[in-house]
Every structure is written in structure tokens, then in C-alpha cells.
Amino acid sequence: YVGCDLSWQKAITSTPKKVQKGTCFMRILVDADACPVKEIIIQLAKQYQKTVLMVCDTAHLLSYPKDSHVSIKVVDKGMDRADFALANLANTGDICITSDYGLAALFLSKGAVPIHPNGFFYTNAEIDRMLFTRHISRELRKQKRRYPGHIKKRTAKQDMQFIQALTTALTASKQSSPESNEAKTVLR
């Protein structure tokens, strides 16, 4: 962690705010190939006693202690291999972390709760617009049109927003019971 901002660790140890009962989440699935919040996910999952399944391809090998609540599934290297594996593994009520809009759409269709690493929930109301914007951006790249700028460094504020979103989902999970027949879409 040399040179990294670890201010998010203080937020994890604080008591989360209560939310209404809702979906009973089974586990946390992570698109781990380029996920900037893996350590935050592990800390919060441990706090809420949830299992984590990280999926990556052979170009992004991960390792965590064997006694950990974290499992790693490594798939062959290839375009969207990890995404398709995650989509096949997702179930209703799973919390799924991804920055890929297409994968988020698949998670939504399966009844999972996708969260972006920047701390917002993907919703059915917004996913079509997001996919269309991604398509337009891809077309502009094909035409070699680029906007000036670069990818900005991740900030502590983004980490805090992610902690808040994941805590909201995990708190809703903790307050629900698997036998509950109450509304399943409190976070949408």
C-alpha cells in the first residue's frame, strides 16, 4: 500500500446507517480484472459475513489467504471471458461489482444488484442510456475521434461513495431474512 490513500479504512470501521428491509443477498461477485476496490470489498464482506467470488482471466492473477472468505475463479484469457463467467454465476439477490455496462445489464436481467466501483447502483431505468452512450463512444473511437484528456486518478471521494453504496446493499441484506417474501427491489 505504499503511496496509496487508505482513508477508506476508517469509514469501514464506522457503524453503518440502517436501511429498510429488502433483498437478501447471497454473495458478492466481482469483475476483478480491473477492479480498483477489491480490498474495500473484502473488508466489508468480512464485516458483514458475506462470501466474495472474484472472477478474472489468466492475465490478472489474484491471491488471497486460503482461510479467507474470498474465492477466486480464473478463466482463460479472452475477450469477455470473465464477464460471461460472471453472468452465468450470478443469481437473484447477488451483489455484483463491475464497471462494465454490458455486464451490469446482464446482472440486472438476472435480478442481481450491480454496483459500479465509483459507488452508484446500476438501475433498469438508466442502463439503456448508459449502453447507448458506450456505443456512441465506441463508434467515435473507430473514427479516431478522441476528446482531449486522460483517465483521472482514483480519488478518496470515489472510495467513500463506493463504501456507502456497498454498505447500503449489505445493510439491506443483513436486515432481511432468506424466508422473507417482502419487496425484492428496495435498492432499484
Side-chain angles (χ1 to χ4, degrees):
Y1 296 133
V2 177
C4 294
D5 180 7
L6 299 177
S7 59
W8 56 266
Q9 288 180 331
K10 183 177 178 185
I12 288 176
T13 59
S14 64
T15 306
K17 297 177 183 175
K18 291 191 175 194
V19 296
Q20 296 178 359
K21 286 186 178 182
T23 306
C24 181
F25 302 111
M26 310 295 180
R27 60 189 168 170
I28 301 171
L29 301 177
V30 182
D31 183 2
D33 282 343
C35 181
V37 290
K38 291 187 282 281
E39 297 302 321
I40 294 171
I41 294 166
I42 292 168
Q43 292 263 345
L44 283 171
K46 188 172 187 178
Q47 182 179 333
Y48 285 86
Q49 300 175 351
K50 296 292 180 182
T51 60
V52 177
L53 175 59
M54 297 202 179
V55 178
C56 64
D57 66 27
T58 55
H60 302 91
L61 294 180
L62 306 171
S63 65
Y64 291 96
K66 290 187 188 282
D67 62 344
S68 177
H69 58 285
V70 178
S71 300
I72 299 169
K73 180 175 178 70
V74 179
V75 297
D76 290 334
K77 186 176 177 182
M79 187 171 169
D80 297 328
R81 291 273 179 114
D83 295 349
F84 290 131
L86 277 163
N88 287 330
L89 291 167
N91 293 311
T92 300
D94 286 341
I95 299 172
C96 304
I97 314 300
T98 185
S99 58
D100 184 317
Y101 298 167
L103 183 55
L106 292 172
F107 288 146
L108 285 169
S109 72
K110 293 188 89 173
V113 179
I115 304 173
H116 191 280
N118 286 349
F120 63 84
F121 289 92
Y122 292 96
T123 64
N124 286 318
E126 292 290 321
I127 198 68
D128 287 338
R129 179 193 54 80
M130 297 170 91
L131 290 169
F132 180 70
T133 301
R134 181 181 77 165
H135 170 72
I136 296 299
S137 296
R138 183 177 291 150
E139 291 301 312
L140 290 173
R141 283 193 302 274
K142 284 182 186 177
Q143 296 173 15
K144 307 266 191 238
R145 292 185 187 178
R146 296 223 173 183
Y147 295 100
H150 62 283
I151 298 173
K152 295 179 182 175
K153 185 177 177 181
R154 186 162 181 85
T155 66
K157 181 179 178 181
Q158 289 170 315
D159 286 344
M160 296 304 288
Q161 289 170 329
F162 177 75
I163 289 167
Q164 185 177 20
L166 185 54
T167 300
T168 298
L170 290 167
T171 303
S173 166
K174 193 171 186 176
Q175 292 179 353
S176 298
S177 66
E179 299 81 26
S180 175
N181 288 329
E182 295 180 26
K184 298 283 183 183
T185 57
V186 71
L187 298 175
R188 294 192 190 144

PDB file of all heavy atoms in Angstrom, residues 108-120:
ATOM      1  N   LEU A 108     -28.615  -7.163 -14.082  1.00  0.00           N
ATOM      2  CA  LEU A 108     -29.970  -6.662 -13.836  1.00  0.00           C
ATOM      3  C   LEU A 108     -31.017  -7.646 -14.346  1.00  0.00           C
ATOM      4  O   LEU A 108     -32.031  -7.883 -13.685  1.00  0.00           O
ATOM      5  CB  LEU A 108     -30.168  -5.292 -14.489  1.00  0.00           C
ATOM      6  CG  LEU A 108     -29.499  -4.112 -13.785  1.00  0.00           C
ATOM      7  CD1 LEU A 108     -29.534  -2.872 -14.668  1.00  0.00           C
ATOM      8  CD2 LEU A 108     -30.166  -3.836 -12.445  1.00  0.00           C
ATOM      9  N   SER A 109     -30.768  -8.221 -15.516  1.00  0.00           N
ATOM     10  CA  SER A 109     -31.739  -9.156 -16.091  1.00  0.00           C
ATOM     11  C   SER A 109     -31.881 -10.422 -15.261  1.00  0.00           C
ATOM     12  O   SER A 109     -32.901 -11.097 -15.324  1.00  0.00           O
ATOM     13  CB  SER A 109     -31.359  -9.509 -17.535  1.00  0.00           C
ATOM     14  OG  SER A 109     -30.219 -10.350 -17.560  1.00  0.00           O
ATOM     15  N   LYS A 110     -30.865 -10.736 -14.462  1.00  0.00           N
ATOM     16  CA  LYS A 110     -30.914 -11.928 -13.609  1.00  0.00           C
ATOM     17  C   LYS A 110     -31.413 -11.619 -12.201  1.00  0.00           C
ATOM     18  O   LYS A 110     -31.449 -12.505 -11.353  1.00  0.00           O
ATOM     19  CB  LYS A 110     -29.532 -12.575 -13.559  1.00  0.00           C
ATOM     20  CG  LYS A 110     -29.121 -13.148 -14.927  1.00  0.00           C
ATOM     21  CD  LYS A 110     -27.877 -13.946 -14.836  1.00  0.00           C
ATOM     22  CE  LYS A 110     -28.255 -15.377 -14.526  1.00  0.00           C
ATOM     23  NZ  LYS A 110     -27.114 -16.292 -14.562  1.00  0.00           N
ATOM     24  N   GLY A 111     -31.735 -10.356 -11.931  1.00  0.00           N
ATOM     25  CA  GLY A 111     -32.239  -9.995 -10.616  1.00  0.00           C
ATOM     26  C   GLY A 111     -31.159  -9.723  -9.591  1.00  0.00           C
ATOM     27  O   GLY A 111     -31.432  -9.632  -8.399  1.00  0.00           O
ATOM     28  N   ALA A 112     -29.931  -9.586 -10.052  1.00  0.00           N
ATOM     29  CA  ALA A 112     -28.827  -9.249  -9.148  1.00  0.00           C
ATOM     30  C   ALA A 112     -28.795  -7.729  -8.948  1.00  0.00           C
ATOM     31  O   ALA A 112     -29.515  -6.991  -9.625  1.00  0.00           O
ATOM     32  CB  ALA A 112     -27.504  -9.737  -9.741  1.00  0.00           C
ATOM     33  N   VAL A 113     -27.963  -7.287  -8.025  1.00  0.00           N
ATOM     34  CA  VAL A 113     -27.842  -5.859  -7.716  1.00  0.00           C
ATOM     35  C   VAL A 113     -26.432  -5.409  -8.095  1.00  0.00           C
ATOM     36  O   VAL A 113     -25.493  -5.588  -7.321  1.00  0.00           O
ATOM     37  CB  VAL A 113     -28.114  -5.586  -6.224  1.00  0.00           C
ATOM     38  CG1 VAL A 113     -27.957  -4.109  -5.904  1.00  0.00           C
ATOM     39  CG2 VAL A 113     -29.499  -6.084  -5.833  1.00  0.00           C
ATOM     40  N   PRO A 114     -26.271  -4.839  -9.295  1.00  0.00           N
ATOM     41  CA  PRO A 114     -24.937  -4.401  -9.715  1.00  0.00           C
ATOM     42  C   PRO A 114     -24.585  -3.017  -9.174  1.00  0.00           C
ATOM     43  O   PRO A 114     -25.421  -2.115  -9.137  1.00  0.00           O
ATOM     44  CB  PRO A 114     -25.032  -4.386 -11.244  1.00  0.00           C
ATOM     45  CG  PRO A 114     -26.474  -4.236 -11.549  1.00  0.00           C
ATOM     46  CD  PRO A 114     -27.231  -4.793 -10.380  1.00  0.00           C
ATOM     47  N   ILE A 115     -23.327  -2.883  -8.762  1.00  0.00           N
ATOM     48  CA  ILE A 115     -22.804  -1.621  -8.241  1.00  0.00           C
ATOM     49  C   ILE A 115     -21.525  -1.283  -9.006  1.00  0.00           C
ATOM     50  O   ILE A 115     -20.671  -2.152  -9.224  1.00  0.00           O
ATOM     51  CB  ILE A 115     -22.484  -1.708  -6.734  1.00  0.00           C
ATOM     52  CG1 ILE A 115     -23.716  -2.140  -5.940  1.00  0.00           C
ATOM     53  CG2 ILE A 115     -21.948  -0.373  -6.216  1.00  0.00           C
ATOM     54  CD1 ILE A 115     -23.439  -2.406  -4.465  1.00  0.00           C
ATOM     55  N   HIS A 116     -21.388  -0.030  -9.409  1.00  0.00           N
ATOM     56  CA  HIS A 116     -20.180   0.443 -10.079  1.00  0.00           C
ATOM     57  C   HIS A 116     -19.116   0.742  -9.022  1.00  0.00           C
ATOM     58  O   HIS A 116     -19.449   1.193  -7.919  1.00  0.00           O
ATOM     59  CB  HIS A 116     -20.505   1.716 -10.878  1.00  0.00           C
ATOM     60  CG  HIS A 116     -19.416   2.126 -11.801  1.00  0.00           C
ATOM     61  ND1 HIS A 116     -18.300   2.814 -11.364  1.00  0.00           N
ATOM     62  CD2 HIS A 116     -19.256   1.956 -13.138  1.00  0.00           C
ATOM     63  CE1 HIS A 116     -17.507   3.046 -12.393  1.00  0.00           C
ATOM     64  NE2 HIS A 116     -18.060   2.542 -13.481  1.00  0.00           N
ATOM     65  N   PRO A 117     -17.835   0.519  -9.310  1.00  0.00           N
ATOM     66  CA  PRO A 117     -16.781   0.839  -8.345  1.00  0.00           C
ATOM     67  C   PRO A 117     -16.740   2.313  -7.922  1.00  0.00           C
ATOM     68  O   PRO A 117     -16.145   2.638  -6.897  1.00  0.00           O
ATOM     69  CB  PRO A 117     -15.487   0.447  -9.074  1.00  0.00           C
ATOM     70  CG  PRO A 117     -15.914  -0.616 -10.020  1.00  0.00           C
ATOM     71  CD  PRO A 117     -17.295  -0.207 -10.467  1.00  0.00           C
ATOM     72  N   ASN A 118     -17.374   3.199  -8.692  1.00  0.00           N
ATOM     73  CA  ASN A 118     -17.438   4.605  -8.286  1.00  0.00           C
ATOM     74  C   ASN A 118     -18.575   4.874  -7.319  1.00  0.00           C
ATOM     75  O   ASN A 118     -18.772   6.008  -6.899  1.00  0.00           O
ATOM     76  CB  ASN A 118     -17.562   5.523  -9.506  1.00  0.00           C
ATOM     77  CG  ASN A 118     -16.249   5.627 -10.253  1.00  0.00           C
ATOM     78  OD1 ASN A 118     -15.209   5.202  -9.778  1.00  0.00           O
ATOM     79  ND2 ASN A 118     -16.304   6.180 -11.444  1.00  0.00           N
ATOM     80  N   GLY A 119     -19.367   3.850  -6.979  1.00  0.00           N
ATOM     81  CA  GLY A 119     -20.335   3.989  -5.910  1.00  0.00           C
ATOM     82  C   GLY A 119     -21.756   4.303  -6.325  1.00  0.00           C
ATOM     83  O   GLY A 119     -22.496   4.887  -5.549  1.00  0.00           O
ATOM     84  N   PHE A 120     -22.162   3.906  -7.508  1.00  0.00           N
ATOM     85  CA  PHE A 120     -23.573   4.069  -7.861  1.00  0.00           C
ATOM     86  C   PHE A 120     -24.157   2.726  -8.258  1.00  0.00           C
ATOM     87  O   PHE A 120     -23.461   1.845  -8.740  1.00  0.00           O
ATOM     88  CB  PHE A 120     -23.784   5.128  -8.958  1.00  0.00           C
ATOM     89  CG  PHE A 120     -23.150   4.806 -10.289  1.00  0.00           C
ATOM     90  CD1 PHE A 120     -23.793   4.005 -11.223  1.00  0.00           C
ATOM     91  CD2 PHE A 120     -21.908   5.330 -10.622  1.00  0.00           C
ATOM     92  CE1 PHE A 120     -23.218   3.724 -12.444  1.00  0.00           C
ATOM     93  CE2 PHE A 120     -21.326   5.053 -11.847  1.00  0.00           C
ATOM     94  CZ  PHE A 120     -21.986   4.248 -12.761  1.00  0.00           C
TER      95      PHE A 120
END
